[in-house]
Amino acid sequence: MRHIAMTVAALAALTACTTNPAIRSDVVVPSGFTQANGETFRWLATPGGRDLLDVYPPAAMQQELEGYAVLDCVFLDTGRIGDCQIIQESPVGSGFGAAALRLVDRYRYDPVLHADMIGARGRQTVRFVLG
C-alpha cells in the first residue's frame, strides 16, 4: 500500500511539474562560466527553468533525484559554445550530463566584446534541483 501511495505522489508531482513549470523556478543554471584561468564570464543568455524541465532525466524526476553536470566547452566565434564534453556528473549514471549537453545551444555571449575568449575553453556547472 505504501508503494502505491508513493507512486501516486510521484505521478502527481510529475503532472504538476509538467503543467506548471513555475514550480520549478529553483532549477538553476549559474550565469557565470568559469574560464580555464579561474575568472568568471557573464552570459547574454542561458537556459531557463522551462529548458531544464524539458531535459530533466525522466528516471531522475521519478526518483526525485537532484544533481549536476560539469561541461567543458570552447567559445565559438558565433557567440555560442561548442565541442562540449561532460567532465563530471553527479550522481554518476543519472543522465544529468547528457541533459546538460542538450542545453548547450541556449548559451550566448557577445563575441565582439569578448573576442579574446574565442577558441578558449571553459567549464559550466548545470545544477538540476527540484523545488
Side-chain angles (χ1 to χ4, degrees), residues 19-95:
T19 58
N20 187 0
I23 294 172
R24 308 268 319 195
S25 63
D26 64 336
V27 174
V28 177
V29 176
S31 61
F33 185 98
T34 304
Q35 302 174 45
N37 65 7
E39 293 181 19
T40 301
F41 179 88
R42 297 289 169 202
W43 296 101
L44 292 177
T46 61
R50 181 66 199 191
D51 297 317
L52 275 93
L53 178 62
D54 289 344
V55 303
Y56 210 104
M61 179 74 78
Q62 285 181 328
Q63 297 172 31
E64 296 184 16
L65 185 64
E66 299 178 338
Y68 67 92
V70 180
L71 302 179
D72 181 76
C73 305
V74 66
F75 286 87
L76 305 175
D77 61 0
T78 60
R80 296 176 181 245
I81 56 173
D83 188 28
C84 296
Q85 300 166 3
I86 304 165
I87 60 168
Q88 188 176 7
E89 173 186 63
S90 180
V92 173
S94 61

Side-chain angles (χ1 to χ4, degrees), residues 1-14:
M1 187 61 129
R2 183 171 182 249
H3 178 68
I4 292 170
M6 289 174 52
T7 302
V8 170
L11 288 173
L14 283 173

